[in-house]
Amino acid sequence: MTARSSLTVVLAAGEGTRMRSSLPKVLHPVAGQSLLAHVLDAAPHGAGASLAVVIGPDHKAVADEVKRVRADAATFVQAERLGTAHAVLAAREAIARGADDLLVAFGDTPLISAETFARLRAPLEKGAALAVLGFRAADPTGYGRLLLEGDHLMAIREHADASAEERKVTLCNAGVMAFEGRRALEILDRIGNANSKGEYYLVDAVAIVREMGLEAVVIETSEDEVRGINNKAQLAEAEAVMQARLRQAALDAGVTLIAPETVHLAADTKFGSDVTIEPFVVIGPGVTIADGAVIHSFSHIVQTSIGKKASIGPYARLRPGTSLGDGVRIGNFVETKAATIEAGAKVNHLSYVGDAHVGANSNLGAGTITCNYDGFFKHKTTIGEGAFVGTNSSLVAPVKIGKGAYIGSGSVITKDVPDDAMAVERSPQNNRDGGAARYREMKMRAKAAKEG
Ligand code: UD1
Ligand code: MG
């Protein structure tokens, strides 16, 4: 890592009209995390690294997301969209502080990696005034073209302003740039708007750097890394690229993915060693899976921590706030939410466990339901260690089941059950000797009479 200080300015003022959504473009998710969060995560971190995000007016939700992801980042509002250079200058106050390197990135380009930012900064250390991230575009239409003389970057020509000859160039501007920090403001202030769209183009920095007799260079990367998101189809493509990366990283870390292409991961999923994930599992944000756990097919898991050697599913739904101890077994058609289930406990079939604390080694039979909501408020269910809840029991919260207590099947439990007590809440059973035989005879006679 370089010891140079840096300021990263992320441009996120766009409306994103082509997303056809009320959500600001940079807040759309890829792998369970906003486009903007991906860029903020990849931008330089740590001592000497500062961040500024340029947002549109009325984009409070974007400002909130910035604060959530990088509390140290400053936000600046670009009141009018007059072009990318104009957008960068909305952060003038931060730029004027004069970090060694000024990095500019786009908030809608989520696949960029931290390594690429580092590679882009390296030429500045060797005296270049500007380094531009370039890529070979399969279809360069619409992109700014990088015009080179030998290794020297001479200019960037926007598609609309490019000649027929220049349009043949496939080396394109990814939009990410690194400026020598102390010269950045001087360069940016020289950018004018004499072009076909009348905008202040950041790309004009290259020609200005040349006029100043300074060096500009290109650092190349793959097209996949710099895909910009403008519509839902591109959002889906970025998701596919990100999922492929996440699956590969999981496999490299030793996770067994039996059918990797059917498993959906989140950018922040954390795995222990020897984790197995069966086909068709969806993992949302905030999931941690400890050593030796097995996630069976068709499970859906969000904001959950799973203990060592736990077994989940098939067909389990683990919702936010679920915390499962070591060796916990969650079976088919079980839903959990805001539930702590301690080590060795079993909830094997057809249950809902919400707003609950379940003690170690307890057993919740098939069809156990925590009735946590009274239509107005949520209430808590506490189940002690080693308790046994018989099948088809309803636990009407707030309610406490003591340690080692036993609940008879089919009970509706509305009162606390002391430790080691047995609670049975159902009508006494009534057996009538010969009743079934008499009933059959009566019905058969009635049928015979009707059929005449
Ligand atoms: C830009 C580049 C182009 C490059 C392409 C890569 C310029 C002039 N052109 O073109 O060379 O090949 O990206 O995708 O830089 N933004 C603002 N305020 C503004 C204008 C833009 O915040 O006033 C933000 C947008 O929200 C977006 C980014 O800057 O995140 C880029 O703007 P966009 O209009 O998408 O530029 P392109 O035409 O794609
Ligand atoms: Mg764009």
Side-chain angles (χ1 to χ4, degrees):
M1 260 329 261
T2 167
R4 292 163 63 96
S5 64
S6 70
L7 167 68
T8 307
V9 177
V10 179
L11 306 189
E15 277 296 337
T17 40
R18 281 175 288 167
M19 297 296 272
R20 298 187 185 277
S21 166
S22 57
L23 191 66
K25 174 160 81 171
V26 294
L27 296 187
H28 284 268
V30 163
Q33 156 170 314
S34 70
L35 303 181
L36 184 58
H38 284 284
V39 179
L40 299 182
D41 276 354
H45 277 67
S50 53
L51 254 178
V53 183
V54 179
I55 65 176
D58 310 320
H59 275 180
K60 184 179 177 305
V62 179
D64 290 346
E65 174 70 347
V66 172
K67 218 170 276 166
R68 189 187 67 78
V69 182
R70 291 279 296 259
D72 58 320
T75 50
F76 295 90
V77 175
Q78 185 194 20
E80 254 185 305
R81 295 183 89 248
L82 300 179
T84 42
H86 180 262
V88 175
L89 283 171
R92 177 186 292 277
E93 189 192 309
I95 300 168
R97 275 185 226 123
D100 294 325
D101 303 344
L102 169 68
L103 293 154
V104 179
F106 292 168
D108 62 357
T109 308
L111 299 165
I112 187 146
S113 70
E115 294 72 49
T116 296
F117 276 118
R119 277 206 298 137
L120 199 62
R121 292 173 72 185
L124 304 181
E125 255 180 295
K126 295 187 196 117
L130 180 61
V132 172
L133 191 63
F135 66 101
R136 299 273 167 195
D139 175 10
T141 312
Y143 287 115
R145 308 300 207 283
L146 301 185
L147 307 180
L148 295 173
E149 272 175 26
D151 283 344
H152 305 287
L153 178 61
M154 303 310 288
I156 305 180
R157 194 80 71 237
E158 287 304 281
H159 184 87
D161 301 310
S163 67
E165 202 56 33
E166 287 166 342
R167 284 186 183 183
K168 286 185 192 148
V169 173
T170 59
L171 185 61
C172 291
N173 174 29
V176 183
M177 294 186 188
F179 291 82
E180 208 287 295
R182 317 216 183 267
R183 292 215 165 91
L185 265 187
E186 188 189 346
I187 298 166
L188 292 166
D189 276 331
R190 287 199 192 189
I191 294 176
N193 64 350
N195 51 56
S196 61
K197 284 196 188 161
E199 286 190 8
Y200 295 86
Y201 282 167
L202 186 60
V203 298
D204 289 350
V206 176
I208 289 165
V209 161
R210 282 287 155 210
E211 282 160 25
M212 291 166 78
L214 301 168
E215 177 70 356
V217 297
V218 179
I219 296 292
E220 267 195 60
T221 190
S222 71
E223 183 164 14
D224 265 352
E225 204 188 344
V226 292
R227 282 172 191 276
I229 313 287
N230 298 304
N231 56 41
K232 293 290 173 72
Q234 289 167 340
L235 185 69
E237 283 168 26
E239 182 76 55
V241 172
M242 187 63 85
Q243 288 298 329
R245 275 193 203 169
L246 293 171
R247 290 173 194 130
Q248 191 57 50
L251 291 165
D252 291 345
V255 178
T256 300
L257 301 176
I258 295 168
E261 67 284 3
T262 68
V263 174
H264 192 95
L265 300 171
D268 62 353
T269 309
K270 292 189 181 66
F271 299 103
S273 60
D274 292 308
V275 168
T276 297
I277 302 189
E278 288 188 352
F280 299 102
V281 167
V282 176
I283 295 179
V287 174
T288 302
I289 305 174
D291 302 355
V294 179
I295 315 296
H296 296 281
S297 294
F298 307 109
S299 294
H300 190 283
I301 306 172
V302 179
Q303 282 172 35
T304 287
S305 111
I306 296 173
K308 291 179 184 166
K309 297 202 167 161
S311 171
I312 309 301
Y315 297 99
R317 180 172 183 214
L318 307 182
R319 292 171 51 203
T322 298
S323 170
L324 308 178
D326 294 349
V328 164
R329 303 185 72 84
I330 300 291
N332 44 269
F333 305 107
V334 171
E335 174 182 351
T336 63
K337 184 219 72 170
T340 297
I341 302 180
E342 305 277 8
K346 294 178 192 152
V347 192
N348 271 333
H349 334 265
L350 302 156
S351 288
Y352 173 61
V353 183
D355 300 302
H357 186 279
V358 178
N361 300 313
S362 48
N363 187 319
L364 275 53
T368 297
I369 305 292
T370 54
C371 310
N372 61 327
Y373 184 50
D374 60 15
F376 296 91
F377 302 104
K378 302 276 173 65
H379 303 282
K380 184 153 187 188
T381 301
T382 306
I383 299 174
E385 200 176 318
F388 184 99
V389 179
T391 58
N392 194 32
S393 292
S394 299
L395 310 177
V396 182
V399 72
K400 286 191 174 115
I401 314 293
K403 286 183 196 166
Y406 199 106
I407 309 294
S409 295
S411 294
V412 177
I413 299 296
T414 55
K415 291 186 288 201
D416 290 355
V417 179
D419 292 354
D420 291 320
M422 179 176 290
V424 183
E425 193 286 328
R426 60 189 185 221
S427 334
Q429 187 169 327
N430 180 6
N431 285 352
R432 295 176 206 168
D433 287 339
R438 284 197 297 280
Y439 176 82
R440 260 192 313 273
E441 234 168 74
M442 178 183 86
K443 287 294 180 188
M444 276 157 73
R445 268 203 305 276
K447 200 175 180 194
K450 196 173 177 189
E451 283 165 6

